[in-house]
Amino acid sequence: MKKVHFMVKKAYHPLLKGVNWVLAGLLSVLGFSGCDNGNETLEYGSPYATFTFHGKVTNQAGEPVPDIKIEVNASHDFGNPALSDATGHYSALFQAFPVEDFQVIASDIDGEANGSYRNDTIQVKVGKEDYYEKKSGNWNYGSAAKEVNIELKEKE
């Protein structure tokens, strides 16, 4: 019985090897032809836009407030913080997913040096009218700028 099983196994071995070669050849040809997209361009990445938020930080008397940290939050991702200068001006430049709703967060980080102010959060909408540079490709939505002036209240 063992001898018959061995002979059958030996007889089918070349046949199985040939079938494997044919199947491997067919799968490789079909696999490559299944990946043909015609003239479509494949792109990887995520849509983005370049945003600039700028403005002036003042106190309730209209005087400029220096050394205020400004952060812009879009969907809980903070860009690099900006700092108001001696004239109260700031500019925050960053790239983010093109959304409409942002939060501009102003924080007094210098203590008593320039007065003591309460932190403030301002809701800002960026619309299509704020884009000064339109799309340049499928992923780049362009560039938008928004002026956001901030008036801080003194701590009591």
Side-chain angles (χ1 to χ4, degrees):
M1 181 80 164
K2 282 187 175 183
K3 200 171 204 176
V4 172
H5 179 62
F6 177 71
M7 289 175 63
V8 170
K9 189 175 178 184
K10 197 172 189 178
Y12 283 114
H13 184 63
L15 180 63
L16 289 175
K17 202 172 191 180
V19 169
N20 283 341
W21 276 99
V22 169
L23 288 175
L26 277 171
L27 286 175
S28 65
V29 168
L30 293 175
F32 284 117
S33 66
C35 294
D36 185 19
N37 292 353
N39 293 330
E40 291 180 27
T41 302
L42 298 177
E43 296 184 28
Y44 299 95
S46 178
Y48 70 95
T50 302
F51 297 95
T52 304
F53 282 63
H54 60 91
K56 187 173 182 178
V57 181
T58 59
N59 59 19
Q60 290 177 301
E63 300 165 337
V65 181
D67 299 326
I68 299 296
K69 180 172 77 170
I70 307 296
E71 294 177 290
V72 180
N73 171 314
S75 303
H76 306 291
D77 292 329
F78 288 94
N80 292 330
L83 204 58
S84 61
D85 63 15
T87 63
H89 289 92
Y90 74 91
S91 181
L93 174 69
F94 60 97
Q95 288 183 333
F97 192 81
V99 296
E100 293 181 351
D101 298 316
F102 292 88
Q103 289 181 331
V104 177
I105 302 160
S107 306
D108 187 2
I109 59 170
D110 69 350
E112 299 286 329
N114 295 304
S116 189
Y117 297 94
R118 287 192 244 162
N119 296 343
D120 196 8
T121 301
I122 300 165
Q123 303 297 325
V124 178
K125 278 212 177 288
V126 175
K128 291 181 181 179
E129 67 279 1
D130 296 312
Y131 280 83
Y132 60 90
E133 182 179 283
K134 300 301 180 192
K135 295 179 183 181
S136 63
N138 293 334
W139 293 108
N140 184 355
Y141 276 50
S143 299
K146 192 75 172 184
E147 182 174 1
V148 181
N149 294 315
I150 302 167
E151 183 181 291
L152 294 179
K153 297 178 177 134
E154 291 186 31
K155 283 185 181 176
E156 297 170 358

